[in-house]
Amino acid sequence: ADTQTAVNDVVTPYTLTSYAKDALKNYVPKLRDTYNASEIKDDHPVRFTNRGFTLDHSDDRTHEFCWRVPQAGRGNAFWIPLRINPEQESLWFDLLDESATVGEFRLQQHRTNWVLHVTVEYTVAEPEVPDDPTRIGFDIGESKLLTGCACQNGTPIQPYIYDGGRARALRKEMHTTLKRLQERDAAEWRVDERFDHFQNALTDIVEKASREAVKYAESFDDPVIVLEDLTYIRENLDYGKYMNRRLHSWAFARLTDRIEDKALEASVPVEFVNPRYTSQTCHACGHIGRRGSQAEFKCTNPECWVTEYQADINAAANIAGRVDPWGESVPWKPERDDSPRNGSRCDTATGHRTPSRQSRQTTLAVFES
């Protein structure tokens, strides 16, 4: 469907409202190029443009919010009560008073339930970096999913660790389960069901970890969160087939993005620094050390007071300290050659990401009833 006529031929036979057909016309051209699909599955979500979204609210109802569901070819509609996520209630009220804008929304059947996903666009003010900030570095890893460490006067204080054991076990179980189902030529719906189960569980871990990270940062005065710029980390991974699979299946960017989003909503500034050698450098003297084990860092500088240190906390302290007062990456020169090997930004000492924050999006998911 590479012409408008061909798209219309695909969409016209469906019994859908004009709102749904318009959304589907925008989606159909992506099916082959983006998703390598030749047809639309029967359980594909029904998409709607924002023109078809209408809400009603009343405190007198058990389910206060109701959605007006348009019907194709009937000239009328009916209302369905929504069981919403309590944590997103304020955004639903923002939709009512039009302080938030509705994007595309979609309706999807999940077993015996129907779930409504609404994309919401809203503007959040850019947080300002305080004059005397407390920078909190976060290291994202395999063993410890998230390690935070605040630095005051160059000294690490009150570290925070979110264990990654559960996420690692889920990823391993997901890989094994899906591989066995495919080897047995299991039904596609069964493979999809198990994949969705694992993805939902991992998403829950990401949401909890990012929420706790921002809460930890807010416990300090004038906090500024510092994250590694992992933009090109996947393209530069080459640790062998086994480790590459583990690291590629782990959502580096998803956790980083969710911390940034939640920090933005909490008015906590976020800065990004280059990740190079953060896990191999001593936070106290800047000397290149070594990791005797996954959790242990050893400084090889005989004049440094650090002998052994928790490796992830050391990395988080390095991340927090790799920012100067103007918010730029500190030009950093290790004792060995740090010149780019493959021309990527990830190999430069001053690589820095400046994300756009003019328009933010989130998805409101109605709870299953």
Side-chain angles (χ1 to χ4, degrees):
D2 54 0
T3 66
Q4 189 60 50
T5 300
V7 171
N8 291 339
D9 291 340
V10 173
V11 175
T12 299
Y14 288 97
T15 307
L16 298 170
T17 66
S18 60
Y19 310 123
K21 286 187 176 182
D22 287 345
L24 194 56
K25 288 177 182 178
N26 293 329
Y27 181 75
V28 165
K30 304 176 184 177
L31 284 173
R32 184 175 297 278
D33 294 339
T34 305
Y35 301 100
N36 193 29
S38 58
E39 61 183 359
I40 300 175
K41 294 176 63 175
D42 292 338
D43 60 351
H44 188 83
V46 180
R47 297 167 177 263
F48 298 87
T49 61
N50 57 2
R51 294 186 299 110
F53 190 78
T54 304
L55 275 182
D56 181 65
H57 176 265
S58 173
D59 294 330
D60 299 330
R61 292 192 292 257
T62 301
H63 300 296
E64 298 181 5
F65 289 90
C66 284
W67 170 49
R68 183 179 183 273
V69 185
Q71 294 191 78
R74 298 177 183 268
N76 58 4
F78 60 95
W79 294 84
I80 288 184
L82 304 178
R83 183 178 175 217
I84 66 170
N85 184 343
E87 294 183 1
Q88 297 176 334
E89 185 178 37
S90 62
L91 283 173
W92 287 95
F93 280 108
D94 290 342
L95 290 178
L96 281 175
D97 62 22
E98 298 183 351
S99 58
T101 304
V102 178
E104 183 184 275
F105 60 99
R106 62 187 185 275
L107 181 67
Q108 185 169 20
Q109 186 174 13
H110 181 66
R111 298 182 182 176
T112 58
N113 301 314
W114 290 87
V115 183
L116 180 67
H117 297 273
V118 184
T119 302
V120 180
E121 297 182 4
Y122 56 97
T123 301
V124 179
E126 175 76 19
E128 295 184 1
V129 177
D131 295 333
D132 187 20
T134 301
R135 287 188 165 84
I136 301 100
F138 285 99
D139 177 62
I140 301 174
E142 264 277 293
S143 176
K144 306 301 180 184
L145 181 62
L146 192 64
T147 303
C149 185
C151 279
Q152 292 182 345
N153 299 320
T155 303
I157 59 171
Q158 300 179 24
Y160 157 85
I161 295 178
Y162 191 99
D163 188 71
R166 173 61 176 163
R168 188 169 60 254
L170 279 171
R171 291 194 303 274
K172 182 178 180 180
E173 184 181 351
M174 177 176 67
H175 174 78
T176 303
T177 301
L178 296 182
K179 183 178 179 180
R180 289 177 178 174
L181 287 174
Q182 291 171 347
E183 290 174 348
R184 296 171 184 172
D185 198 22
E188 187 175 354
W189 68 266
R190 188 177 295 277
V191 176
D192 292 341
E193 181 183 58
R194 297 312 298 162
F195 178 79
D196 291 341
H197 164 75
F198 289 114
Q199 287 299 307
N200 290 337
L202 288 170
T203 297
D204 183 63
I205 292 175
V206 168
E207 292 298 312
K208 289 180 179 177
S210 56
R211 182 167 56 247
E212 289 190 17
V214 175
K215 186 176 180 181
Y216 164 74
E218 289 182 304
S219 66
F220 297 95
D221 295 331
D222 299 323
V224 173
I225 291 177
V226 186
L227 300 171
E228 292 179 306
D229 183 357
L230 302 176
T231 306
Y232 296 99
I233 190 168
R234 291 189 177 219
E235 288 80 352
N236 291 280
L237 286 178
D238 188 16
Y239 301 124
K241 182 178 179 180
Y242 175 69
M243 276 304 295
N244 280 354
R245 174 180 63 77
R246 290 178 61 187
L247 294 175
H248 275 270
S249 66
W250 171 48
F252 289 93
R254 182 163 52 166
L255 182 53
T256 299
D257 289 344
R258 293 307 290 151
I259 293 175
E260 184 185 5
D261 289 341
K262 287 180 170 61
L264 192 62
E265 294 184 8
S267 298
V268 177
V270 177
E271 296 174 325
F272 290 86
V273 298
N274 189 276
R276 193 159 180 80
Y277 293 124
T278 53
S279 62
Q280 302 175 41
T281 307
C282 177
H283 71 273
C285 68
H287 192 88
I288 295 293
R290 59 188 177 87
R291 296 181 70 158
S293 65
Q294 180 67 26
E296 181 184 72
F297 171 82
K298 292 184 177 181
C299 182
T300 55
N301 181 5
E303 299 179 0
C304 181
W305 64 268
V306 174
T307 53
E308 295 182 3
Y309 212 82
Q310 210 286 339
D312 298 308
I313 297 176
N314 177 73
N318 280 325
I319 293 168
R322 196 173 284 188
V323 181
D324 68 12
W326 294 274
E328 301 293 336
S329 289
V330 175
W332 175 75
K333 297 180 180 179
E335 293 185 348
R336 57 185 174 184
D337 181 26
D338 191 31
S339 59
R341 292 193 299 268
N342 58 8
S344 68
R345 263 180 36 190
C346 194
D347 276 340
T348 64
T350 57
H352 184 72
R353 181 174 75 169
T354 305
S356 172
R357 296 176 179 171
Q358 296 303 314
S359 176
R360 306 298 292 182
Q361 290 190 356
T362 188
T363 299
L364 302 181
V366 176
F367 273 17
E368 297 173 6
S369 58

mmCIF file of all heavy atoms in Angstrom, residues 94-135:
data_model
loop_
_atom_site.group_PDB
_atom_site.id
_atom_site.type_symbol
_atom_site.label_atom_id
_atom_site.label_comp_id
_atom_site.label_asym_id
_atom_site.label_seq_id
_atom_site.Cartn_x
_atom_site.Cartn_y
_atom_site.Cartn_z
ATOM 1 N N ASP A 94 -6.788 16.751 33.698
ATOM 2 C CA ASP A 94 -6.191 17.704 32.752
ATOM 3 C C ASP A 94 -6.824 17.581 31.369
ATOM 4 O O ASP A 94 -6.968 18.576 30.647
ATOM 5 C CB ASP A 94 -4.679 17.479 32.649
ATOM 6 C CG ASP A 94 -3.941 17.901 33.909
ATOM 7 O OD1 ASP A 94 -4.530 18.660 34.709
ATOM 8 O OD2 ASP A 94 -2.788 17.474 34.098
ATOM 9 N N LEU A 95 -7.201 16.363 31.002
ATOM 10 C CA LEU A 95 -7.884 16.179 29.717
ATOM 11 C C LEU A 95 -9.266 16.838 29.729
ATOM 12 O O LEU A 95 -9.699 17.408 28.732
ATOM 13 C CB LEU A 95 -8.033 14.683 29.408
ATOM 14 C CG LEU A 95 -6.757 13.908 29.074
ATOM 15 C CD1 LEU A 95 -7.082 12.435 28.853
ATOM 16 C CD2 LEU A 95 -6.091 14.486 27.839
ATOM 17 N N LEU A 96 -9.923 16.760 30.868
ATOM 18 C CA LEU A 96 -11.260 17.361 30.966
ATOM 19 C C LEU A 96 -11.217 18.877 30.819
ATOM 20 O O LEU A 96 -12.052 19.472 30.126
ATOM 21 C CB LEU A 96 -11.908 16.995 32.305
ATOM 22 C CG LEU A 96 -12.526 15.597 32.421
ATOM 23 C CD1 LEU A 96 -13.001 15.358 33.841
ATOM 24 C CD2 LEU A 96 -13.678 15.427 31.439
ATOM 25 N N ASP A 97 -10.252 19.516 31.493
ATOM 26 C CA ASP A 97 -10.186 20.983 31.414
ATOM 27 C C ASP A 97 -9.289 21.471 30.269
ATOM 28 O O ASP A 97 -8.983 22.658 30.174
ATOM 29 C CB ASP A 97 -9.735 21.585 32.747
ATOM 30 C CG ASP A 97 -8.332 21.127 33.158
ATOM 31 O OD1 ASP A 97 -7.555 20.705 32.285
ATOM 32 O OD2 ASP A 97 -8.020 21.193 34.354
ATOM 33 N N GLU A 98 -8.844 20.506 29.430
ATOM 34 C CA GLU A 98 -8.081 20.810 28.210
ATOM 35 C C GLU A 98 -6.722 21.449 28.482
ATOM 36 O O GLU A 98 -6.181 22.140 27.628
ATOM 37 C CB GLU A 98 -8.904 21.701 27.264
ATOM 38 C CG GLU A 98 -10.188 21.034 26.798
ATOM 39 C CD GLU A 98 -10.950 21.901 25.809
ATOM 40 O OE1 GLU A 98 -10.562 23.077 25.624
ATOM 41 O OE2 GLU A 98 -11.920 21.405 25.210
ATOM 42 N N SER A 99 -6.175 21.222 29.678
ATOM 43 C CA SER A 99 -4.803 21.671 29.928
ATOM 44 C C SER A 99 -3.800 20.654 29.398
ATOM 45 O O SER A 99 -2.597 20.929 29.349
ATOM 46 C CB SER A 99 -4.582 21.903 31.427
ATOM 47 O OG SER A 99 -4.847 20.730 32.169
ATOM 48 N N ALA A 100 -4.292 19.469 29.036
ATOM 49 C CA ALA A 100 -3.477 18.455 28.357
ATOM 50 C C ALA A 100 -4.159 18.107 27.047
ATOM 51 O O ALA A 100 -5.389 18.186 26.926
ATOM 52 C CB ALA A 100 -3.315 17.210 29.215
ATOM 53 N N THR A 101 -3.372 17.727 26.053
ATOM 54 C CA THR A 101 -3.884 17.455 24.717
ATOM 55 C C THR A 101 -3.861 15.968 24.426
ATOM 56 O O THR A 101 -2.872 15.283 24.708
ATOM 57 C CB THR A 101 -3.032 18.181 23.656
ATOM 58 O OG1 THR A 101 -3.002 19.573 23.958
ATOM 59 C CG2 THR A 101 -3.616 17.982 22.262
ATOM 60 N N VAL A 102 -4.955 15.483 23.849
ATOM 61 C CA VAL A 102 -5.048 14.079 23.483
ATOM 62 C C VAL A 102 -4.382 13.854 22.135
ATOM 63 O O VAL A 102 -4.608 14.609 21.183
ATOM 64 C CB VAL A 102 -6.519 13.621 23.406
ATOM 65 C CG1 VAL A 102 -6.600 12.156 22.980
ATOM 66 C CG2 VAL A 102 -7.199 13.821 24.734
ATOM 67 N N GLY A 103 -3.563 12.822 22.056
ATOM 68 C CA GLY A 103 -3.024 12.391 20.776
ATOM 69 C C GLY A 103 -3.853 11.230 20.261
ATOM 70 O O GLY A 103 -5.054 11.136 20.534
ATOM 71 N N GLU A 104 -3.230 10.312 19.538
ATOM 72 C CA GLU A 104 -3.958 9.131 19.079
ATOM 73 C C GLU A 104 -4.274 8.240 20.271
ATOM 74 O O GLU A 104 -3.504 8.159 21.227
ATOM 75 C CB GLU A 104 -3.104 8.366 18.070
ATOM 76 C CG GLU A 104 -3.801 7.150 17.482
ATOM 77 C CD GLU A 104 -2.903 6.355 16.548
ATOM 78 O OE1 GLU A 104 -2.820 6.715 15.365
ATOM 79 O OE2 GLU A 104 -2.274 5.394 17.024
ATOM 80 N N PHE A 105 -5.428 7.579 20.252
ATOM 81 C CA PHE A 105 -5.737 6.609 21.296
ATOM 82 C C PHE A 105 -6.191 5.314 20.634
ATOM 83 O O PHE A 105 -6.578 5.295 19.462
ATOM 84 C CB PHE A 105 -6.791 7.146 22.276
ATOM 85 C CG PHE A 105 -8.111 7.504 21.653
ATOM 86 C CD1 PHE A 105 -9.179 6.624 21.707
ATOM 87 C CD2 PHE A 105 -8.294 8.720 21.028
ATOM 88 C CE1 PHE A 105 -10.400 6.959 21.142
ATOM 89 C CE2 PHE A 105 -9.510 9.070 20.459
ATOM 90 C CZ PHE A 105 -10.568 8.178 20.516
ATOM 91 N N ARG A 106 -6.081 4.226 21.365
ATOM 92 C CA ARG A 106 -6.396 2.930 20.770
ATOM 93 C C ARG A 106 -7.082 2.027 21.789
ATOM 94 O O ARG A 106 -6.861 2.130 22.996
ATOM 95 C CB ARG A 106 -5.129 2.266 20.222
ATOM 96 C CG ARG A 106 -4.070 1.955 21.243
ATOM 97 C CD ARG A 106 -2.787 1.467 20.581
ATOM 98 N NE ARG A 106 -1.781 1.050 21.539
ATOM 99 C CZ ARG A 106 -0.913 1.866 22.126
ATOM 100 N NH1 ARG A 106 -0.938 3.150 21.837
ATOM 101 N NH2 ARG A 106 -0.037 1.399 22.984
ATOM 102 N N LEU A 107 -7.901 1.136 21.260
ATOM 103 C CA LEU A 107 -8.673 0.193 22.066
ATOM 104 C C LEU A 107 -8.246 -1.218 21.679
ATOM 105 O O LEU A 107 -8.190 -1.556 20.495
ATOM 106 C CB LEU A 107 -10.167 0.382 21.803
ATOM 107 C CG LEU A 107 -11.134 -0.507 22.585
ATOM 108 C CD1 LEU A 107 -11.084 -0.161 24.068
ATOM 109 C CD2 LEU A 107 -12.555 -0.337 22.049
ATOM 110 N N GLN A 108 -7.924 -2.026 22.684
ATOM 111 C CA GLN A 108 -7.427 -3.365 22.397
ATOM 112 C C GLN A 108 -8.029 -4.367 23.357
ATOM 113 O O GLN A 108 -8.157 -4.107 24.551
ATOM 114 C CB GLN A 108 -5.898 -3.409 22.495
ATOM 115 C CG GLN A 108 -5.293 -4.746 22.093
ATOM 116 C CD GLN A 108 -3.786 -4.666 21.953
ATOM 117 O OE1 GLN A 108 -3.151 -3.767 22.495
ATOM 118 N NE2 GLN A 108 -3.193 -5.595 21.216
ATOM 119 N N GLN A 109 -8.392 -5.526 22.816
ATOM 120 C CA GLN A 109 -8.923 -6.597 23.646
ATOM 121 C C GLN A 109 -7.767 -7.421 24.197
ATOM 122 O O GLN A 109 -6.851 -7.802 23.464
ATOM 123 C CB GLN A 109 -9.855 -7.502 22.846
ATOM 124 C CG GLN A 109 -10.553 -8.547 23.702
ATOM 125 C CD GLN A 109 -11.581 -9.354 22.919
ATOM 126 O OE1 GLN A 109 -11.610 -9.300 21.698
ATOM 127 N NE2 GLN A 109 -12.419 -10.084 23.628
ATOM 128 N N HIS A 110 -7.813 -7.673 25.495
ATOM 129 C CA HIS A 110 -6.802 -8.510 26.152
ATOM 130 C C HIS A 110 -7.546 -9.617 26.879
ATOM 131 O O HIS A 110 -8.131 -9.412 27.937
ATOM 132 C CB HIS A 110 -5.976 -7.677 27.133
ATOM 133 C CG HIS A 110 -4.901 -8.458 27.825
ATOM 134 N ND1 HIS A 110 -3.819 -8.981 27.155
ATOM 135 C CD2 HIS A 110 -4.761 -8.817 29.121
ATOM 136 C CE1 HIS A 110 -3.036 -9.616 28.011
ATOM 137 N NE2 HIS A 110 -3.588 -9.534 29.214
ATOM 138 N N ARG A 111 -7.555 -10.802 26.250
ATOM 139 C CA ARG A 111 -8.344 -11.924 26.745
ATOM 140 C C ARG A 111 -9.810 -11.519 26.836
ATOM 141 O O ARG A 111 -10.419 -11.196 25.838
ATOM 142 C CB ARG A 111 -7.787 -12.410 28.083
ATOM 143 C CG ARG A 111 -6.354 -12.932 27.991
ATOM 144 C CD ARG A 111 -5.863 -13.452 29.325
ATOM 145 N NE ARG A 111 -4.490 -13.908 29.242
ATOM 146 C CZ ARG A 111 -3.791 -14.349 30.278
ATOM 147 N NH1 ARG A 111 -4.349 -14.390 31.480
ATOM 148 N NH2 ARG A 111 -2.534 -14.734 30.124
ATOM 149 N N THR A 112 -10.374 -11.484 28.071
ATOM 150 C CA THR A 112 -11.795 -11.138 28.202
ATOM 151 C C THR A 112 -11.999 -9.661 28.523
ATOM 152 O O THR A 112 -13.127 -9.225 28.741
ATOM 153 C CB THR A 112 -12.439 -11.985 29.323
ATOM 154 O OG1 THR A 112 -11.743 -11.751 30.542
ATOM 155 C CG2 THR A 112 -12.356 -13.461 28.977
ATOM 156 N N ASN A 113 -10.931 -8.898 28.581
ATOM 157 C CA ASN A 113 -11.026 -7.488 28.955
ATOM 158 C C ASN A 113 -10.694 -6.588 27.775
ATOM 159 O O ASN A 113 -10.036 -7.003 26.825
ATOM 160 C CB ASN A 113 -10.068 -7.178 30.108
ATOM 161 C CG ASN A 113 -10.351 -8.012 31.334
ATOM 162 O OD1 ASN A 113 -11.484 -8.168 31.750
ATOM 163 N ND2 ASN A 113 -9.302 -8.574 31.914
ATOM 164 N N TRP A 114 -11.127 -5.345 27.878
ATOM 165 C CA TRP A 114 -10.786 -4.324 26.890
ATOM 166 C C TRP A 114 -9.972 -3.230 27.571
ATOM 167 O O TRP A 114 -10.309 -2.792 28.673
ATOM 168 C CB TRP A 114 -12.051 -3.722 26.274
ATOM 169 C CG TRP A 114 -12.760 -4.690 25.371
ATOM 170 C CD1 TRP A 114 -13.684 -5.623 25.743
ATOM 171 C CD2 TRP A 114 -12.588 -4.834 23.964
ATOM 172 N NE1 TRP A 114 -14.094 -6.339 24.645
ATOM 173 C CE2 TRP A 114 -13.441 -5.875 23.539
ATOM 174 C CE3 TRP A 114 -11.794 -4.185 23.022
ATOM 175 C CZ2 TRP A 114 -13.533 -6.280 22.211
ATOM 176 C CZ3 TRP A 114 -11.889 -4.574 21.702
ATOM 177 C CH2 TRP A 114 -12.734 -5.613 21.298
ATOM 178 N N VAL A 115 -8.896 -2.810 26.925
ATOM 179 C CA VAL A 115 -7.994 -1.810 27.494
ATOM 180 C C VAL A 115 -7.922 -0.614 26.559
ATOM 181 O O VAL A 115 -7.740 -0.769 25.348
ATOM 182 C CB VAL A 115 -6.578 -2.390 27.709
ATOM 183 C CG1 VAL A 115 -5.675 -1.355 28.369
ATOM 184 C CG2 VAL A 115 -6.644 -3.656 28.563
ATOM 185 N N LEU A 116 -8.086 0.574 27.126
ATOM 186 C CA LEU A 116 -8.017 1.817 26.359
ATOM 187 C C LEU A 116 -6.707 2.523 26.683
ATOM 188 O O LEU A 116 -6.421 2.822 27.836
ATOM 189 C CB LEU A 116 -9.202 2.729 26.721
ATOM 190 C CG LEU A 116 -9.269 4.077 25.988
ATOM 191 C CD1 LEU A 116 -9.531 3.881 24.507
ATOM 192 C CD2 LEU A 116 -10.332 4.964 26.616
ATOM 193 N N HIS A 117 -5.889 2.774 25.647
ATOM 194 C CA HIS A 117 -4.620 3.479 25.803
ATOM 195 C C HIS A 117 -4.755 4.857 25.165
ATOM 196 O O HIS A 117 -5.089 4.971 23.986
ATOM 197 C CB HIS A 117 -3.483 2.717 25.122
ATOM 198 C CG HIS A 117 -3.232 1.359 25.713
ATOM 199 N ND1 HIS A 117 -2.400 1.160 26.787
ATOM 200 C CD2 HIS A 117 -3.724 0.144 25.389
ATOM 201 C CE1 HIS A 117 -2.379 -0.131 27.096
ATOM 202 N NE2 HIS A 117 -3.170 -0.768 26.259
ATOM 203 N N VAL A 118 -4.478 5.886 25.955
ATOM 204 C CA VAL A 118 -4.629 7.262 25.490
ATOM 205 C C VAL A 118 -3.276 7.963 25.562
ATOM 206 O O VAL A 118 -2.648 8.011 26.622
ATOM 207 C CB VAL A 118 -5.657 8.036 26.349
ATOM 208 C CG1 VAL A 118 -5.863 9.438 25.783
ATOM 209 C CG2 VAL A 118 -6.975 7.283 26.400
ATOM 210 N N THR A 119 -2.826 8.513 24.444
ATOM 211 C CA THR A 119 -1.589 9.292 24.423
ATOM 212 C C THR A 119 -1.900 10.734 24.798
ATOM 213 O O THR A 119 -2.791 11.356 24.222
ATOM 214 C CB THR A 119 -0.950 9.261 23.019
ATOM 215 O OG1 THR A 119 -0.698 7.899 22.668
ATOM 216 C CG2 THR A 119 0.355 10.033 23.010
ATOM 217 N N VAL A 120 -1.168 11.251 25.776
ATOM 218 C CA VAL A 120 -1.410 12.590 26.299
ATOM 219 C C VAL A 120 -0.167 13.446 26.113
ATOM 220 O O VAL A 120 0.938 13.024 26.446
ATOM 221 C CB VAL A 120 -1.794 12.540 27.794
ATOM 222 C CG1 VAL A 120 -2.052 13.941 28.326
ATOM 223 C CG2 VAL A 120 -3.004 11.661 27.998
ATOM 224 N N GLU A 121 -0.347 14.630 25.569
ATOM 225 C CA GLU A 121 0.759 15.571 25.402
ATOM 226 C C GLU A 121 0.556 16.760 26.344
ATOM 227 O O GLU A 121 -0.539 17.319 26.412
ATOM 228 C CB GLU A 121 0.843 16.060 23.953
ATOM 229 C CG GLU A 121 1.134 14.948 22.952
ATOM 230 C CD GLU A 121 1.254 15.477 21.539
ATOM 231 O OE1 GLU A 121 1.186 16.716 21.373
ATOM 232 O OE2 GLU A 121 1.418 14.657 20.614
ATOM 233 N N TYR A 122 1.613 17.120 27.051
ATOM 234 C CA TYR A 122 1.537 18.255 27.956
ATOM 235 C C TYR A 122 2.915 18.875 28.098
ATOM 236 O O TYR A 122 3.931 18.221 27.861
ATOM 237 C CB TYR A 122 0.999 17.837 29.337
ATOM 238 C CG TYR A 122 1.776 16.736 30.004
ATOM 239 C CD1 TYR A 122 2.754 17.025 30.946
ATOM 240 C CD2 TYR A 122 1.522 15.398 29.701
ATOM 241 C CE1 TYR A 122 3.460 16.018 31.566
ATOM 242 C CE2 TYR A 122 2.225 14.383 30.308
ATOM 243 C CZ TYR A 122 3.197 14.691 31.239
ATOM 244 O OH TYR A 122 3.907 13.694 31.844
ATOM 245 N N THR A 123 2.936 20.126 28.476
ATOM 246 C CA THR A 123 4.189 20.870 28.581
ATOM 247 C C THR A 123 4.633 20.933 30.038
ATOM 248 O O THR A 123 3.839 21.233 30.933
ATOM 249 C CB THR A 123 4.022 22.302 28.035
ATOM 250 O OG1 THR A 123 3.603 22.217 26.665
ATOM 251 C CG2 THR A 123 5.333 23.062 28.103
ATOM 252 N N VAL A 124 5.895 20.645 30.250
ATOM 253 C CA VAL A 124 6.481 20.720 31.591
ATOM 254 C C VAL A 124 7.620 21.727 31.548
ATOM 255 O O VAL A 124 8.455 21.695 30.643
ATOM 256 C CB VAL A 124 7.016 19.343 32.045
ATOM 257 C CG1 VAL A 124 7.644 19.444 33.422
ATOM 258 C CG2 VAL A 124 5.905 18.315 32.033
ATOM 259 N N ALA A 125 7.652 22.609 32.531
ATOM 260 C CA ALA A 125 8.688 23.637 32.558
ATOM 261 C C ALA A 125 10.066 23.014 32.743
ATOM 262 O O ALA A 125 10.231 22.043 33.480
ATOM 263 C CB ALA A 125 8.403 24.638 33.676
ATOM 264 N N GLU A 126 11.057 23.576 32.077
ATOM 265 C CA GLU A 126 12.435 23.116 32.199
ATOM 266 C C GLU A 126 12.976 23.442 33.586
ATOM 267 O O GLU A 126 13.017 24.607 33.985
ATOM 268 C CB GLU A 126 13.290 23.793 31.134
ATOM 269 C CG GLU A 126 14.764 23.484 31.229
ATOM 270 C CD GLU A 126 15.085 22.092 30.712
ATOM 271 O OE1 GLU A 126 14.259 21.537 29.969
ATOM 272 O OE2 GLU A 126 16.165 21.593 31.063
ATOM 273 N N PRO A 127 13.383 22.431 34.362
ATOM 274 C CA PRO A 127 13.932 22.724 35.693
ATOM 275 C C PRO A 127 15.256 23.484 35.580
ATOM 276 O O PRO A 127 16.044 23.238 34.670
ATOM 277 C CB PRO A 127 14.164 21.324 36.297
ATOM 278 C CG PRO A 127 13.367 20.383 35.461
ATOM 279 C CD PRO A 127 13.325 20.991 34.098
ATOM 280 N N GLU A 128 15.475 24.400 36.490
ATOM 281 C CA GLU A 128 16.720 25.170 36.502
ATOM 282 C C GLU A 128 17.720 24.548 37.474
ATOM 283 O O GLU A 128 17.360 24.119 38.567
ATOM 284 C CB GLU A 128 16.442 26.620 36.913
ATOM 285 C CG GLU A 128 15.574 27.386 35.913
ATOM 286 C CD GLU A 128 15.409 28.839 36.308
ATOM 287 O OE1 GLU A 128 15.990 29.229 37.351
ATOM 288 O OE2 GLU A 128 14.719 29.575 35.582
ATOM 289 N N VAL A 129 18.974 24.478 37.051
ATOM 290 C CA VAL A 129 20.025 23.944 37.906
ATOM 291 C C VAL A 129 20.307 24.953 39.023
ATOM 292 O O VAL A 129 20.583 26.126 38.753
ATOM 293 C CB VAL A 129 21.309 23.671 37.102
ATOM 294 C CG1 VAL A 129 22.420 23.176 38.026
ATOM 295 C CG2 VAL A 129 21.039 22.653 36.001
ATOM 296 N N PRO A 130 20.220 24.550 40.276
ATOM 297 C CA PRO A 130 20.453 25.486 41.395
ATOM 298 C C PRO A 130 21.913 25.950 41.450
ATOM 299 O O PRO A 130 22.799 25.345 40.836
ATOM 300 C CB PRO A 130 20.080 24.661 42.627
ATOM 301 C CG PRO A 130 20.185 23.240 42.192
ATOM 302 C CD PRO A 130 19.845 23.208 40.744
ATOM 303 N N ASP A 131 22.143 27.028 42.180
ATOM 304 C CA ASP A 131 23.494 27.601 42.278
ATOM 305 C C ASP A 131 24.475 26.659 42.966
ATOM 306 O O ASP A 131 25.640 26.579 42.587
ATOM 307 C CB ASP A 131 23.444 28.940 43.031
ATOM 308 C CG ASP A 131 22.657 29.995 42.264
ATOM 309 O OD1 ASP A 131 22.610 29.900 41.020
ATOM 310 O OD2 ASP A 131 22.093 30.898 42.905
ATOM 311 N N ASP A 132 24.007 25.956 43.981
ATOM 312 C CA ASP A 132 24.879 25.035 44.711
ATOM 313 C C ASP A 132 24.217 23.657 44.736
ATOM 314 O O ASP A 132 23.701 23.209 45.768
ATOM 315 C CB ASP A 132 25.114 25.544 46.132
ATOM 316 C CG ASP A 132 26.151 24.699 46.878
ATOM 317 O OD1 ASP A 132 26.937 24.005 46.195
ATOM 318 O OD2 ASP A 132 26.164 24.742 48.123
ATOM 319 N N PRO A 133 24.243 22.950 43.598
ATOM 320 C CA PRO A 133 23.486 21.698 43.496
ATOM 321 C C PRO A 133 24.162 20.523 44.189
ATOM 322 O O PRO A 133 25.383 20.506 44.375
ATOM 323 C CB PRO A 133 23.433 21.460 41.981
ATOM 324 C CG PRO A 133 24.716 22.054 41.482
ATOM 325 C CD PRO A 133 24.957 23.262 42.353
ATOM 326 N N THR A 134 23.350 19.567 44.568
ATOM 327 C CA THR A 134 23.843 18.260 45.004
ATOM 328 C C THR A 134 23.641 17.311 43.840
ATOM 329 O O THR A 134 22.507 16.969 43.503
ATOM 330 C CB THR A 134 23.078 17.743 46.230
ATOM 331 O OG1 THR A 134 23.212 18.660 47.310
ATOM 332 C CG2 THR A 134 23.602 16.375 46.652
ATOM 333 N N ARG A 135 24.731 16.908 43.215
ATOM 334 C CA ARG A 135 24.615 16.043 42.044
ATOM 335 C C ARG A 135 24.574 14.579 42.476
ATOM 336 O O ARG A 135 25.393 14.126 43.275
ATOM 337 C CB ARG A 135 25.766 16.293 41.077
ATOM 338 C CG ARG A 135 25.608 17.627 40.340
ATOM 339 C CD ARG A 135 26.631 17.802 39.236
ATOM 340 N NE ARG A 135 26.235 18.886 38.350
ATOM 341 C CZ ARG A 135 26.492 20.170 38.583
ATOM 342 N NH1 ARG A 135 27.157 20.511 39.665
ATOM 343 N NH2 ARG A 135 26.088 21.102 37.732
#
